[in-house]
Amino acid sequence: MKTQSSIFFALFFLLFSWSCSESERHFLKDKNYRRQVYEQFQKRKTLAAHRNEALLSVFEKESLRLEQREALEFLYAYMPLCDLADYDGDFFLKQIDAALEARDFFSWGKTVPEDIFRHFVLVYRVNNEYPDTARNAFFHELKDRVKNLSMYDAALEVNHWCHEKVTYRGTDSRTSAPLALVRTAWGRCGEESTFTVAALRSVGIPARQCYTPRWVHTDDNHAWVEVWIDGTWHYMGACEPEAELDVAWFTGPAKRTMMVHTHVFGYYTGPEEKNLETPLYAKINLLENYAETRTVKVQVTDENSRPLDGIPVKFQVYNYAELYTIAESVTDKSGQTSIISGLGDLMIYASNKDFYGYSKSTPQDEITHVKLDRKPGIACEADFIMNVPKEKPVKELSSEKIAANAIRLVYEDSLRNAYMTTFISEVNAFQFAKENQLDSNETWKYLHLAQGNGSEMREFMFQEKNNPRLFPFLATLSEKDLRDTPAAYLRDHLPGQEKFQVKRSVSDSLFISCISSPRIGQELIQPWRNFFRQTITASAIHGAPHAVSFLLNLVRDRVTIDETENYYNCRITPRGVYELQTADSRSRDIFFVALCRSFDIPARLEPATSRPQYLENGQWIDAVFGSDEIPANNLPPTHSKTHSKAQLIVQNAASNPIKPGYYSHYTLAYFKDGDFHTLDFEDNPSVAQFPCQLALDEGYYRLTVGSRANDGSVFVHTEYFELKKDTPYTVNIRLPEVEGKLPVKGTVDMNLTVNLHDQSKTSLKALSKGKGLMLCFLDPGKEPSKHILQDFPSVRQALDEWKGGVLLMIPSDKSLQTFDATVFKGLPQQAQWSTDDNRQLLKVVAGTLQLDFRDNFPLTVYLSRNGGILYASAGYRIATGEDVLKTIRLEASQEEQ
């Protein structure tokens, strides 16, 4: 019996030990969740079958542990199409190994719950960037720096490291990968937050990027970072370290916003409200972490007041002169739906494609009723006011903490600036140009724009120095392309410029911009031209009766469209579309244009609508990818379309106090598939002057015009109209009047003196030149102050003509040795810089305004010639210069009356 008992306990121990060992090796410990992931993984294997070898051969590695296998299955089960198309299994396994190494290395790794680690550490992607190997590089650079810190202090320290590497500067909408951002040393907030999240995850700290899709008190949006510390989510400004968490310049604006959200990769069971939930990801609502909220209830009915089920509902705010959707939902059987939002107004829009309706929701409404009784094509107008949440007090740090942190920021700026001095200098660029017989000014221009990518750009220039199309080719690229594209990728698109068998009579400029250029939409530039030339033989193209029809057929037959699974809206590269054979429509369109350009067919995305087009007999023709059969003669009428054009005349009303700008004061939107889509005329010369004439497709349109008041509220006018061929239509851009007169908010003694940076001393009265004074108190190290400086070029001419004073003041405690005022171009001619010793003038102005001001920079005021404060704005706000101009003009008009 004793022997049998011993054997029994020995077997039990072995079984127990084996069971525990097996349990510890699982990455997904919950059996039900593991089963769900596996089932979704099997579906994605089928979808990605055409890249089976690249993606799935990693599972055949003998050394692959169960934990790695399950982590891979989790990533594959939920990743967007762009990642299935453009990366391979080894890339994802390295991401997993780095995440697991960080978890095991740092003391806080064992405190992070499995679900938090799974969604906010393991995942290699933050938003719509093109992922790279930053996680591995950042881990090795940061691990010794933070390993002995608490999780809280480590998060702060990582952000200081990020500030050493990157600072804020506005860029285009394509999001640079973290390593590319480090090479450049600056980026917009969406890039800074992507970079900072990547750095935090590299050391095992759960992090996520948060967005307010649009502010409501001002134009623009913002992105920042939340970190999970010991069971609680905290926020921080990306690359903008403070002495504590939950302190940032955007704290005040975030209390006034109407939505804060983030994407969560994978099936997520967290406690936050989900604005959207799909089998692959969730979009969660984080607004309650920042602002007072309300439940916005909506009832949708037909024209006979009957509830409508399954109707898409859009919750919209006014921003950049358009009604922008910040959240979407669908009605239930009772015709109702709801979201959590802030204490401001929303425009609720709903449509069943045949009819549409809209209604404004205010904080006082228990429920907002939307009746679908408007039919597209019916002309009408509407005027309304969009009110915004009121300002709220914010937490302030002690002056001691602020001062200590400022010292660190100065040092970190010096490290970054020291790195940037390694970029090629003008002298060296001119020497390089001379040695290679290149145009000196053009060479310096592009080497300077390349920033940290200068060595790649120099190599490309050297290789193509005898190519007469070198600089025209570089001119087709965006500045970001110059900063992050390797020379080898560029050479794929400029290999001597030999043409194919079919010669096309196109101008050299058209050849460069619509054939040779690799820049199509907002995708990352990759080498695809030679791949297509080798994979799809030129003889097959030019042997077809119509080359474009051949390519249209290829796209239609090869690519399956899926509009839901590429959910980060990161465009698939042209080669990735070809290999995966599944894509969203926008990536498909870029693929078609790339195919055409690969075989010398001029092609583009139409600038205002982004429709894919090719040039045929001097006319741009829309490519149509339908399911219809190609006619027997293989000609393209079924797969191309020339839209009937109508003429729209846009005029500037004589009563406008300022010249309206597109996206600043007005936009045009066309009706398609039940919704209004804003035409993209940003920086388009077609709308630069009034009157302007636009050739637009026939159809139904909406004009939106707005004027923003000093409190952030907007007076909006909308006009709905139909454009028809041969019937020109005229719209007048008349800025709505903001009701009420300018109040005097306080008075400042204009005899007060200031010390200018040229060492001279003068009075506010002298600076005003008998007209008035625009006075800006700035923190040059923070994004909001940089915004106002970058806004000046758009109003410089008007301020110059006004001839009043502009004074830019930096409090002495915010003065940075590394600050260089000369980098801000386009300031008014009369602009002067000054240092405000001990905040003396700032205290006077803030006291007059009865403002408990500490660090909510910038503070901008407009002083009349008598010292009356007629305008004041504190904190982050877009188009402040424009608001001051409105004040100046209104003051002048009131004086004339």
Side-chain angles (χ1 to χ4, degrees), residues 613-628:
Q613 296 180 322
Y614 61 91
L615 193 68
E616 184 79 15
N617 297 323
Q619 185 176 16
W620 286 107
I621 300 174
D622 292 344
V624 179
F625 309 100
S627 57
D628 300 330

Side-chain angles (χ1 to χ4, degrees), residues 873-888:
S873 172
Y876 179 72
R877 186 167 184 147
I878 296 297
T880 300
E882 234 177 59
D883 290 341
V884 171
L885 275 176
K886 291 178 186 177
T887 304
I888 291 170

Side-chain angles (χ1 to χ4, degrees), residues 38-97:
Y38 182 77
E39 291 172 355
Q40 182 65 28
F41 169 62
Q42 295 303 315
K43 295 177 184 177
R44 304 309 291 295
K45 282 175 64 177
T46 302
L47 183 148
H50 299 292
R51 297 199 76 236
N52 183 74
E53 177 65 24
L55 289 169
L56 301 180
S57 60
V58 67
F59 287 97
E60 299 173 4
K61 293 178 180 282
E62 292 184 2
S63 60
L64 195 69
R65 304 188 311 276
L66 179 60
E67 187 176 41
Q68 294 170 304
R69 177 181 295 275
E70 290 182 355
L72 277 169
E73 289 179 355
F74 171 75
L75 294 183
Y76 281 138
Y78 301 111
M79 68 176 57
L81 292 179
C82 53
D83 297 344
L84 290 173
D86 289 323
Y87 298 87
D88 59 28
D90 286 335
F91 173 84
F92 297 118
L93 183 58
K94 289 177 182 177
Q95 297 285 336
I96 289 167
D97 287 345

